[in-house]
Amino acid sequence: MFDFIISVVTIGGIYAIMTLGLNIQAGYSGLLNFGHIAFAGVGAYAVGITHLQGWPIALGLPIGVAAGVLLGWFVARLGKRLAADYWAIATLAVAEILRMIAVNEDWLTGGANGITMIPGLFETLARPWNAVAFMALIVGVVLLVAFFSARLGNGRFGRALRLMREQPALATCLGYNLQSLRTRAVMSSAAVTALAGGLYAHYFNYAGTEFMLAAETFVLWTMLMIGGIGRTAGVLLGVVLVQAVYAAVPFVKDMLNFSSDMAGALRMGMIGLILLVCLMWRREGLLPEKLREPA
Amino acid sequence: MSTNAILEVKNLAKAFAANKVLHHVNFEVKQGEIVGLLGPNGSGKSTLLNIISGFVGPDAGEIRLVGRSIAGMPTYRLVQEGMARTFQLPIMPQKMSVLEVAMAAATDAHGVFSTLFRTARDRAAERRALERARHLLDELLLTRVAHLPASAISGGQKKLLGIVCALMAEPRLLMLDEPTAGVHPNVRNDIVQALHRLNASGVTLVIVEHDMHFIRDACSRCIVLDQGEIVASCRPDELASNARVVQAYLGASVEVAKA
Amino acid sequence: MVQVDQVVAGYTRDVDILNGISLHAASQEIVTLLGPNGCGKSTLLKTIAGYLRPRKGRVQLAGKDVSALAVHQKIRHCSLGFVPQTENIFTALTVRENLLIGGYYQSSAQRQQRIEQLCALYPVLRRKIDAPAASLSGGERQILALGRALMPRPEILLLDEPSAGLSPKVLHEVFDAIVRVREQEGVTILMVEQNAMEAMRISDRAYILSLGTVALTGSTQELVTDPKVRELYMGGRV
Amino acid sequence: QEAIRIGAVLPLTGPSATIGEDMRRGLQLGVERVNANGGVMGKQLALIVEDSANNPTTALTAARKLATVDKVPVVLGEFSSSITLPVAQYLVKEGVVHMNIGSSSTKVRDLGDSAFNLIGLEDAGNRFAAQDVYAMGLRNVAVITPNNAYGQGVSHGFKEEFEKLGGKVAGQILYTGGQSSYRRELQQLARAKPDAYLYSSYGHEAAIINREAKELGLRSQPWYAYIMSMSVSDTPADIAEGQVGMELGASKGELGQAYAQAYNTAFKEGFASVFNGYAYDGVVLIGAAMNQAAGSSAADVQKGLKAVSEQGFTGVTGPIHFDAKGQRTDPPYDKLKLENGKLIPR
Amino acid sequence: MLQFFIDTLMRTSDLALVALGLSMLYGLVKFPNIAHVQYAMVGAFLAYWLYGLGLPLALALVVGAGLTGLITLLVQLLVFDRLLQSGPSIAMIGSLAVSMLLVAIVLGVAGSFPHMFVLPNMEPVLIGDARLSRAQLWMVLTTAVLLVVFLVLLFYTQAGRAMRALASNRALADASGLNASRITNVVTLLSGALAGLGGGMLAISGGAHVNLGHDMLLPVFAAAILGGLGNPIGAVAGAFLIALAETTVTNINFGPMLGESLVFLPASYIGAAAFLILLLALLFKPYGLFDKEVRRV
Ligand SMILES: Nc1ncnc2c1ncn2[C@@H]1O[C@H](COP(=O)(O)OP(=O)(O)OP(=O)(O)O)[C@@H](O)[C@H]1O
Ligand SMILES: Nc1ncnc2c1ncn2[C@@H]1O[C@H](COP(=O)(O)OP(=O)(O)OP(=O)(O)O)[C@@H](O)[C@H]1O
Ligand SMILES: [Mg+2]
Ligand SMILES: [Mg+2]
């Protein structure tokens, strides 16, 4: 059980980092990124490819973050003239194209098999401690990212983003360069998310294409919306809840003695139901964004 | 060309499809003036403002700000050059308080790293913005609603908030699109006062307005636009005696302009 | 025609914007509401139209208590017309389509005829009849909004700042047209105005609101001639 | 009396759900069989099935739960190689026995000590198919397979083996799954004028491919189905009629027939794929291994499996023997054809 | 060439009805309803079930579509009306939840095995040198007829105008006496029925299976977006363009250009082609290809 909890916390932490990243775009800047998982995918594949090519594995994470930021720059450029909904689909398109490249170009990415045997971190430590150390690392990163992202949101940059989110024409007229705001927001968010993706690859010793499916982005969105978009505490709460539900489903199934031919239906149904109940009950998320009081 | 012109517009033309909104618009605004920009509905005043402030590209013509050509410059660059404007129909954000919107209008020091690490520069900018925002909100009677969501204040109050935002930038040239439409008459006087004070501190103003009282109280000169052209440029009290202006713009309200 | 009794209403549960307000407008009267920004004028009109439910008190139109009716029911069945202060046109439609929607329940012949009439009343509409409404200038929008509301020949018209953004000449024309509509079609008009001077010119009575209640009321004559009223509520002019 | 638990991770939702469910049925029948024969060391055998949702993260979480919370000694499954590989890697690292019953990637071979494999991997399958097709006198073949790890393996591997024999692959298409029509892919293949088509596909996708191939008149050439039972499971018999193909060795012999009977009674329909047989064999084998080693720890299972394999074990998919790496030696393949609406050996 | 054209049309008709409904509803409710493709899946199962009960195929499709419309309306009333009060993004995530629930229910009831329609073997029709099945011919024709009907409905009737007015400004539609909720309900019903019909027709060739909705999610959304969300006719044109792009990728032979006999773009990039087209189109027409809306500050 102990091991399982550690792994649930670690995975939750990785998702938390990605969701905090998404929050910088979606929450603060109102940018609907439906291809967000692509940043994580780039991070994961960077680590994987570093391993495949036999480069020092320590280079994986930095390369991943750099590649993520670059992709972020590109995606933000794409949005120069696009309205929110349209940009959302454009990002989805980019993510899908990247995924297809990952599936098809097996000389680089291992093809549909993905890249296996990626070395983990802390593997020199003894059995439970390597997992504990990894969890500690992830929790540390989550706290750091949460702290900085809250700062970003409450500070002057975040305020500019929020004005852009709600009234772009007003923001322009006040002298903000929307394109630059958007680019910087997406790039910061990409950096964080690519880092999480790289850590994912190390943790699971694996980078593959299923991880880059659009459904994964929707998981991130779910976490974001349940907790409360735009608010760091809300985001974290959302991640904890969704991750708890995901982790609990197999146990609930065992507990209620559901026959295993219903296991799949039950898993989907329960997650859908809980999500729906949450949304209906607290429509703005559990911790809705508040008006910020300038200190 | 006079040397102290802050804004020069030469041969400006703009058409939307077949609709020629502006053609051969020529005028200049001198440093320290308060110019009223008048004209019938649909004569292109807002379009002119949109072009000057970089929201809409002109079809032809030249615009100079303090002698520098600004054609094709994006709005945010123009704001850095000291130009600010308000909108005719203000729409305000939902999840930001009035005070926050006002503070957001101070655009300095909003870098990612500066915000992340709360540098001294960031903190100083924040303090300055807060002080100034409080002051301006107070001046335009918005203190009572400063903590409400900016979208939940009344139409007139939004208009005032728009003006506060424009002033936050400490512009050299301020263009107001119908600042008093929907604003209570008493507040109108406050606005006039505030604009005069602003003008005294060196800000040049261009005001689009339909309220002749306001024009008379506030402006030193009027430019009248009709059918895409400038048809008059004179002192406000001379408007009533200009036949073309009366025919196109004032109509039966000519009495008001005279009064 | 319009009777508002002790109405309390607001947007959020805990804040009342209207604090027990009462007023009325007799048949074919033009009544103007004046008051500082944010005192609740628009809120009052929205409550009469049905966007907000009165928490206390009631709203009567033509003698019927309509406090509980939805907006579209009032518009359709109580012969009510309403022009909101902002977002008062359908930007995705053309000018003609805006008018057609205004006359949704008329027969198509009636609609054509009415559009002709309105175009004669407001020539701008004819000039822009097939333009997308989103392209209109501020003043043009205002006229279109009025035209849309007039399409079904309402008996009661609620206007929220109809003059905002109109040039002096057009403002005059619009107000004259309002008076004419009243005379020709017998409409009762309740309007909010900041342009006190012009509004007083055409209205019979006025209410001056303050913080969700009536601070002062009287005939136009009485109010305009009272110097204190002019000083306090009309910017010291008129 | 506590039951002895074993685990499985299967795609019960998502694009491979059909096969996941088919495998689950095999496992279920296997457990029933073992328990009917007296269980494991006098105890009941219990199976915990977790859904992978066709997602590696979910699959790994499920495997973690099985390994660390339920503490099962052995986990069977997944189906997609891209999920089986990370899951198996994790299990081996934890010292849990992994039994592969669905993935054919050759990487399965190198997973480690506690990894076992029951099915023929793609290299063997490709060699078998290439020889079979070549023996049928076909020299110029077009190949259409899904664009995933499995399809890529078949497509590339078959070409290699077939060309080694001297045949030619006229065209290869890796189609994107989940589309409503594959006419365009088929027509592209037809432009290469092959003298036969080799395809492999999942149930309903194959149904579309077969129907459209018929509509487009491509069935005038022979069609060869790779893993035939899976490929024709959802195609109306009159459309697939006359196809030939190969198959991972399906249930056969008396044992196999009894099993097919049991499957039919339990689920009121025939096999949806061959994988249920391997799943069934996996469970029965594990039961035997536990009894053999007289213990139910992972180490016992590992030891037991080796021992049972040495003694010789016959499952519904034929005799099972593991090599030193835990791989089934000489995994069975069958040659089949569809005649009068029935799959029969040829 | 004829075959190329027919392939394109057929793929178009696979996507068009669902995309049309999606886009139409988007116009009113202003959020991309992810569950919309699942309505198609539900429609497929209903049609299969009704056909199994012995209804003639056409009737089964129509009744199935009607029932799907009712289900759609029910979900709209119970769930989305409430969620929409707090904005489009909440509603969108809600639609994701609904989508999962629908899949779970169908999975629980009908299982994961595809259900194939047992149809009499139909000989393909020959049009010129192009071949297609009778069912598909009917599908293309039905789609075309429905499209024309909707075009007329939307742009030439007072009801269509009311719908667009509602989409543009709900509060003002109220102030014009339109019964906003009733119009929304009718449109919801229609869009659900369209999705149901689309799904049912798809199932005729590919069977009714739980992933039917999920599989068409991306292309349908790409089509709706390409045509401009909220513009139903655009959605159909978008579907056509996507189909065209896909067909081009698979069927244009670049061989002659390169001096070889047969050179195709890899078919595995077929999805990428659709998305690439989408990206390019959006870059040049940021609000979809058929956007005519005037935006001014
Ligand atoms: N984006 C656009 N597309 C098409 N036509 C436009 C656009 N913007 C403005 N117009 C047209 O240009 C003309 C001038 O509009 P503008 O808003 O500049 O007028 P204005 O002088 O500000 O009038 P008002 O006093 O009523 O606000 C109007 O007839 C309007 O319909
Ligand atoms: N949508 C809303 N939600 C919450 N509060 C609102 C909303 N709209 C207005 N208010 C509040 O109600 C008060 C009255 O607003 P209202 O619009 O009725 O003012 P008004 O008298 O029409 O002012 P103006 O002349 O500026 O249009 C405002 O102070 C505002 O704070
Ligand atoms: Mg204007
Ligand atoms: Mg108001």
Side-chain angles (χ1 to χ4, degrees):
Chain A
M1 197 69 203
F2 176 66
D3 284 348
F4 186 70
I5 290 174
I6 287 184
S7 97
V8 168
V9 171
T10 311
I11 297 173
I14 293 175
Y15 274 98
I17 303 171
M18 295 180 199
T19 313
L20 284 168
L22 180 61
N23 187 41
I24 296 177
Q25 291 176 64
Y28 298 158
S29 338
L31 297 167
L32 303 179
N33 192 334
F34 283 180
H36 190 68
I37 202 67
F39 297 134
V42 164
Y45 266 100
V47 172
I49 292 172
T50 306
H51 164 67
L52 265 191
Q53 300 293 331
W55 298 332
I57 195 67
L59 285 181
L61 286 176
I63 292 179
V65 171
V69 169
L70 204 67
L71 178 64
W73 178 84
F74 171 74
V75 171
R77 286 274 116 184
L78 208 61
K80 199 167 179 186
R81 295 164 61 218
L82 298 184
D85 301 352
Y86 296 90
W87 190 70
I89 301 298
T91 52
L92 179 61
V94 170
E96 276 296 301
I97 291 174
L98 283 177
R99 189 178 69 81
M100 285 176 207
I101 292 176
V103 174
N104 288 319
E105 303 305 318
D106 51 358
W107 55 274
L108 181 66
T109 60
N113 269 322
I115 301 172
T116 46
M117 312 278 184
I118 297 173
L121 305 177
F122 312 113
E123 278 187 339
T124 46
L125 293 181
R127 251 274 273 134
W129 298 116
N130 53 358
V132 174
F134 204 104
M135 180 183 77
L137 171 75
I138 295 285
V139 171
V141 175
V142 170
L143 292 180
L144 209 65
V145 170
F147 172 72
F148 275 124
S149 104
R151 266 206 160 175
L152 207 60
N154 296 332
R156 297 179 72 77
F157 182 62
R159 191 178 295 143
L161 292 182
R162 278 178 283 129
L163 190 64
M164 167 175 83
R165 165 184 85 189
E166 306 218 0
Q167 293 302 329
L170 182 60
T172 311
C173 142
L174 294 180
Y176 286 107
N177 178 356
L178 297 194
Q179 182 53 31
S180 143
L181 277 181
R182 189 183 298 130
T183 310
R184 284 182 286 158
V186 176
M187 281 165 69
S188 336
S189 145
V192 171
T193 311
L195 177 67
L199 289 170
Y200 174 97
H202 277 302
Y203 185 63
F204 286 121
N205 313 108
Y206 173 68
T209 54
E210 275 91 357
F211 174 59
M212 286 171 77
L213 284 171
E216 287 289 304
T217 304
F218 287 126
V219 172
L220 299 181
W221 270 97
T222 307
M223 293 172 164
L224 195 61
M225 303 298 304
I226 284 195
I229 188 167
R231 187 163 157 193
T232 306
V235 173
L236 291 180
L237 180 66
V239 173
V240 168
L241 277 183
V242 175
Q243 180 63 16
V245 172
Y246 269 82
V249 165
F251 293 98
V252 174
K253 176 206 69 189
D254 290 352
M255 220 151 58
L256 300 182
N257 252 326
F258 270 94
S259 70
S260 50
D261 56 341
M262 292 292 274
L266 182 80
R267 203 183 128 274
M268 278 203 118
M270 257 181 43
I271 291 169
L273 197 65
I274 288 170
L275 181 54
L276 202 60
V277 168
C278 261
L279 289 176
M280 305 270 282
W281 174 51
R282 291 292 297 259
R283 276 179 269 128
E284 302 257 317
L286 297 172
L287 294 177
E289 184 177 14
K290 288 186 300 199
L291 288 185
R292 287 172 170 79
E293 291 294 323
Chain B
M1 265 303 118
S2 46
T3 45
N4 64 346
I6 187 164
L7 178 71
E8 300 161 62
V9 173
K10 277 189 250 166
N11 275 326
L12 197 70
K14 176 76 193 174
F16 293 104
N19 180 6
K20 286 199 185 119
V21 179
L22 301 172
H23 35 109
H24 305 305
V25 172
N26 288 288
F27 69 93
E28 60 174 53
V29 176
K30 294 201 179 61
Q31 190 82 50
E33 270 190 306
I34 305 185
V35 174
L37 179 56
L38 312 183
N41 293 120
S43 58
K45 305 177 296 295
S46 300
T47 304
L48 185 55
L49 245 52
N50 287 346
I51 293 176
I52 296 174
S53 59
F55 277 91
V56 173
D59 293 345
E62 198 182 350
I63 309 167
R64 288 170 174 276
L65 186 66
V66 216
R68 286 216 303 151
S69 172
I70 57 169
M73 238 190 230
T75 306
Y76 71 94
R77 289 274 297 118
L78 292 170
V79 176
Q80 286 166 6
E81 299 285 322
M83 177 191 287
R85 68 164 289 186
T86 65
F87 286 110
Q88 185 172 356
L89 307 166
I91 310 175
M92 289 293 165
Q94 277 184 0
K95 295 264 171 153
M96 294 174 82
S97 68
V98 169
L99 179 60
E100 251 206 310
V101 171
M103 290 186 60
T107 58
D108 51 331
H110 71 277
V112 174
F113 290 101
S114 147
T115 310
L116 271 186
F117 300 108
R118 292 258 156 103
T119 55
R121 194 165 135 253
D122 186 57
R123 284 198 304 266
E126 185 78 357
R127 257 198 318 276
R128 257 200 325 274
L130 185 60
E131 246 164 55
R132 195 166 158 73
R134 286 242 161 89
H135 172 74
L136 286 170
L137 290 176
D138 207 41
E139 201 165 5
L140 291 181
L141 307 180
L142 291 172
T143 305
R144 202 168 58 84
V145 294
H147 294 288
L148 293 182
S151 62
I153 57 178
S154 77
Q157 289 169 329
K158 285 181 192 163
K159 210 93 209 208
L160 297 175
L161 180 55
I163 299 178
V164 168
C165 286
L167 293 182
M168 283 297 289
E170 311 193 8
R172 279 194 288 182
L173 170 67
L174 174 59
M175 302 189 294
L176 304 169
D177 200 348
E178 306 203 10
T180 74
V183 173
H184 191 251
N186 290 8
V187 185
R188 251 175 247 195
N189 297 345
D190 293 333
I191 296 181
V192 173
Q193 307 290 312
L195 293 182
H196 275 302
R197 269 200 304 279
L198 204 62
N199 184 242
S201 70
V203 181
T204 309
L205 293 155
V206 174
I207 306 172
V208 175
E209 241 319 330
H210 290 304
D211 180 355
M212 294 311 293
H213 293 295
F214 184 86
I215 294 285
R216 230 187 22 233
D217 294 348
C219 303
S220 52
R221 185 161 69 93
C222 292
I223 298 172
V224 184
L225 204 58
D226 183 31
Q227 310 202 332
E229 286 177 329
I230 305 281
V231 296
S233 168
C234 57
R235 286 207 315 275
D237 52 359
E238 294 168 354
L239 285 172
S241 48
N242 184 326
R244 172 106 195 244
V245 174
V246 173
Q247 179 259 326
Y249 183 62
L250 292 175
S253 297
V254 63
E255 294 308 318
V256 188
K258 274 186 196 151
Chain C
M1 281 303 265
V2 182
Q3 175 91 34
V4 175
D5 294 316
Q6 299 294 332
V7 162
V8 176
Y11 296 91
T12 48
R13 206 167 294 165
D14 39 338
V15 185
D16 293 336
I17 305 291
L18 303 178
N19 302 304
I21 198 166
S22 300
L23 51 79
H24 74 276
S27 183
Q28 309 207 15
E29 226 183 351
I30 298 185
V31 175
T32 301
L33 304 175
L34 302 172
N37 293 120
C39 72
K41 303 181 296 295
S42 302
T43 308
L44 176 60
L45 288 198
K46 283 190 233 168
T47 311
I48 297 176
Y51 286 99
L52 298 171
R53 276 263 168 99
R55 285 199 252 272
K56 293 203 191 93
R58 58 183 183 161
V59 175
Q60 286 174 296
L61 295 179
K64 272 188 300 190
D65 185 348
V66 294
S67 315
L69 289 191
V71 185
H72 65 91
Q73 291 168 319
K74 285 190 194 175
I75 302 284
R76 193 175 168 188
H77 301 300
C78 305
S79 194
L80 185 71
F82 176 50
V83 179
Q85 182 174 6
T86 50
E87 299 181 28
N88 46 18
I89 57 169
F90 296 107
T91 47
L93 273 52
T94 65
V95 171
R96 186 196 300 280
E97 286 175 327
N98 266 274
L99 296 174
L100 289 173
I101 287 294
Y104 190 67
Y105 292 104
Q106 293 169 310
S107 75
S108 92
Q110 275 174 325
R111 280 198 289 262
Q112 286 314 322
Q113 191 199 354
R114 186 64 173 160
I115 290 180
E116 274 308 309
Q117 279 176 354
L118 289 172
C119 284
L121 210 54
Y122 307 114
V124 201
L125 294 183
R126 194 190 303 282
R127 239 184 301 128
K128 295 256 156 189
I129 193 81
D130 283 317
S135 73
L136 298 190
S137 77
E140 291 164 342
R141 285 170 183 235
Q142 208 63 27
I143 293 172
L144 175 59
L146 193 60
R148 196 215 87 246
L150 285 176
M151 271 301 284
R153 302 173 189 273
E155 286 162 23
I156 305 166
L157 200 51
L158 307 177
L159 306 176
D160 202 344
E161 306 210 14
S163 81
L166 297 186
S167 78
K169 181 181 170 188
V170 177
L171 183 148
H172 233 96
E173 290 168 5
V174 167
F175 275 11
D176 287 348
I178 290 178
V179 175
R180 226 171 320 139
V181 164
R182 190 240 321 236
E183 269 149 26
Q184 287 167 6
E185 300 174 11
V187 189
T188 308
I189 293 168
L190 188 60
M191 69 177 175
V192 170
E193 260 304 333
Q194 291 294 2
N195 198 334
M197 179 189 69
E198 285 294 329
M200 295 303 242
R201 187 170 65 77
I202 63 162
S203 44
D204 305 309
R205 285 189 308 117
Y207 290 87
I208 297 178
L209 308 190
S210 160
L211 290 177
T213 50
V214 174
L216 209 58
T217 176
S219 74
T220 324
Q221 216 56 40
E222 288 164 19
L223 291 175
V224 168
T225 47
D226 186 337
K228 236 180 110 197
V229 173
R230 284 164 57 165
E231 177 62 32
L232 282 177
Y233 299 108
M234 299 177 198
R237 274 200 222 95
V238 178
Chain D
Q1 191 188 11
E2 274 268 315
I4 291 177
R5 295 181 295 186
I6 60 174
V9 179
L10 297 176
L12 297 175
T13 53
S16 315
T18 313
I19 305 221
E21 170 62 15
D22 193 49
M23 289 167 134
R24 194 200 60 73
R25 292 176 175 186
L27 295 177
Q28 182 187 327
L29 291 177
V31 171
E32 282 165 12
R33 170 87 274 167
V34 170
N35 287 336
N37 285 359
V40 177
M41 301 176 296
K43 292 184 189 170
Q44 292 280 299
L45 189 63
L47 172 73
I48 306 175
V49 179
E50 300 294 345
D51 182 18
S52 74
N54 198 45
N55 173 310
T57 315
T58 313
L60 274 160
T61 307
R64 268 205 167 78
K65 180 218 168 220
L66 291 173
T68 64
V69 182
D70 300 321
K71 300 211 186 320
V72 298
V74 51
V75 175
L76 300 104
E78 237 268 341
F79 171 63
S80 310
S81 308
S82 52
I83 294 176
T84 307
L85 289 175
V87 164
Q89 236 178 81
Y90 161 77
L91 290 170
V92 169
K93 209 164 67 183
E94 292 292 312
V96 177
V97 173
H98 172 253
M99 174 83 66
N100 175 37
I101 51 174
S103 298
S104 58
S105 164
T106 46
K107 288 192 182 151
V108 162
R109 220 164 260 150
D110 311 315
L111 282 169
D113 279 347
S114 63
F116 290 82
N117 169 37
L118 275 186
I119 76 170
L121 300 183
E122 62 195 23
D123 48 357
N126 291 331
R127 209 171 310 124
F128 183 85
Q131 281 162 359
D132 191 22
V133 171
Y134 194 85
M136 287 161 72
L138 304 168
R139 294 293 177 269
N140 197 23
V141 178
V143 180
I144 177 165
T145 51
N147 190 19
N148 57 22
Y150 164 72
Q152 288 178 357
V154 171
S155 191
H156 299 159
F158 177 82
K159 181 176 157 98
E160 203 182 302
E161 297 290 344
F162 196 54
E163 286 179 351
K164 254 192 236 161
L165 296 174
K168 187 166 157 280
V169 170
Q172 285 168 291
I173 288 230
L174 292 168
Y175 74 82
T176 304
Q179 295 185 73
S180 54
S181 157
Y182 299 99
R183 293 171 71 91
R184 292 139 333 157
E185 284 87 346
L186 289 172
Q187 280 170 37
Q188 180 181 331
L189 273 187
R191 305 263 286 266
K193 302 215 163 34
D195 50 18
Y197 295 84
L198 179 135
Y199 79 107
S200 189
S201 184
Y202 306 112
H204 66 276
E205 284 169 7
I208 300 177
I209 290 177
N210 278 325
R211 179 183 290 275
E212 290 179 336
K214 184 155 191 210
E215 281 162 14
L216 291 171
L218 306 185
R219 287 291 299 283
S220 50
Q221 259 82 38
W223 273 65
Y224 188 93
Y226 189 108
I227 310 291
M228 191 162 190
S229 68
M230 171 176 89
S231 298
V232 297
S233 63
D234 293 314
T235 308
D238 55 345
I239 288 183
E241 182 68 24
Q243 285 190 6
V244 291
M246 59 78 84
E247 179 67 77
L248 278 166
S251 319
K252 54 171 77 78
E254 257 168 58
L255 226 45
Q257 253 153 31
Y259 168 65
Q261 195 72 52
Y263 189 102
N264 243 320
T265 11
F267 307 110
K268 314 272 178 297
E269 52 192 347
F271 297 155
S273 73
V274 282
F275 295 102
N276 65 70
Y278 289 87
Y280 175 88
D281 273 355
V283 173
V284 175
L285 193 58
I286 288 166
M290 284 178 173
N291 279 329
Q292 172 78 27
S296 61
S297 73
D300 292 331
V301 173
Q302 201 175 328
K303 219 163 59 214
L305 282 173
K306 293 234 158 91
V308 170
S309 134
E310 287 311 315
Q311 291 167 6
F313 176 92
T314 308
V316 296
T317 60
I320 296 174
H321 178 258
F322 291 119
D323 66 11
K325 279 177 139 179
Q327 305 297 308
R328 184 168 182 180
T329 49
D330 297 319
Y333 289 96
D334 294 337
K335 297 180 183 176
L336 301 176
K337 66 180 166 187
L338 195 81
E339 226 172 67
N340 301 325
K342 285 223 164 59
L343 274 184
I344 50 173
R346 92 185 122 86
Chain E
M1 201 55 218
L2 188 61
Q3 185 73 57
F4 180 93
F5 186 64
I6 285 181
D7 284 351
T8 308
L9 274 191
M10 270 168 36
R11 174 67 171 161
T12 308
S13 71
D14 284 351
L15 303 176
L17 290 185
V18 185
L20 172 76
L22 175 75
S23 202
M24 192 164 72
L25 194 57
Y26 177 90
L28 290 197
V29 297
K30 289 287 185 285
F31 80 94
N33 189 343
I34 294 171
H36 198 82
V37 288
Q38 303 303 350
Y39 299 145
M41 185 264 293
V42 171
F45 273 97
L46 286 174
Y48 173 79
W49 177 63
L50 291 167
Y51 182 66
L53 289 185
L55 261 60
L57 185 59
L59 195 63
L61 284 176
V62 170
V63 176
L67 288 178
T68 315
L70 285 177
I71 292 174
T72 310
L73 181 59
L74 201 69
V75 174
Q76 178 80 23
L77 293 179
L78 289 181
V79 179
F80 294 127
D81 273 357
R82 205 177 137 81
L83 291 183
L84 267 171
Q85 289 166 15
S86 35
S89 24
I90 298 278
M92 197 192 77
I93 298 298
S95 73
L96 181 68
V98 169
S99 181
M100 287 167 98
L101 266 179
L102 286 176
V103 171
I105 291 171
V106 172
L107 195 62
V109 174
S112 57
F113 291 107
H115 298 271
M116 310 302 293
F117 280 79
V118 187
L119 296 172
N121 192 5
M122 285 180 285
E123 279 311 304
V125 195
L126 271 173
I127 302 179
D129 58 348
R131 299 154 147 269
L132 72 168
S133 73
R134 209 166 288 273
Q136 274 162 328
L137 186 65
W138 276 113
M139 220 167 129
V140 173
L141 289 180
T142 315
T143 309
V145 169
L146 277 175
L147 291 184
V148 173
V149 169
F150 269 89
L151 187 85
V152 171
L153 209 72
L154 269 177
F155 286 92
Y156 298 97
T157 67
Q158 187 73 347
R161 204 173 288 128
M163 230 177 84
R164 285 183 295 136
L166 195 59
S168 162
N169 187 337
R170 214 182 173 86
L172 192 62
D174 267 336
S176 306
L178 306 189
N179 188 344
S181 44
R182 202 170 70 207
I183 298 178
T184 312
N185 290 348
V186 171
V187 171
T188 309
L189 191 87
L190 278 179
S191 71
L194 279 179
L197 186 62
M201 295 204 297
L202 265 185
I204 291 178
S205 60
H209 57 103
V210 274
N211 292 316
L212 187 132
H214 178 266
D215 286 343
M216 65 195 306
L217 178 70
L218 294 182
V220 162
F221 267 79
I225 295 270
L226 194 55
L229 271 175
N231 175 351
I233 305 305
V236 176
F240 179 75
L241 279 172
I242 299 266
L244 191 67
E246 291 180 355
T247 314
T248 308
V249 166
T250 35
N251 278 15
I252 293 285
N253 183 4
F254 292 94
M257 269 178 256
L258 304 172
E260 290 185 39
S261 61
L262 285 176
V263 179
F264 293 100
L265 293 172
S268 45
Y269 277 109
I270 191 167
F275 284 117
L276 212 56
I277 288 283
L278 182 68
L279 274 185
L280 285 178
L282 286 184
L283 281 181
F284 293 104
K285 293 281 286 180
Y287 293 91
L289 288 175
F290 303 94
D291 168 61
K292 285 203 302 274
E293 203 173 316
V294 176
R295 290 174 185 82
R296 61 166 294 181
V297 280

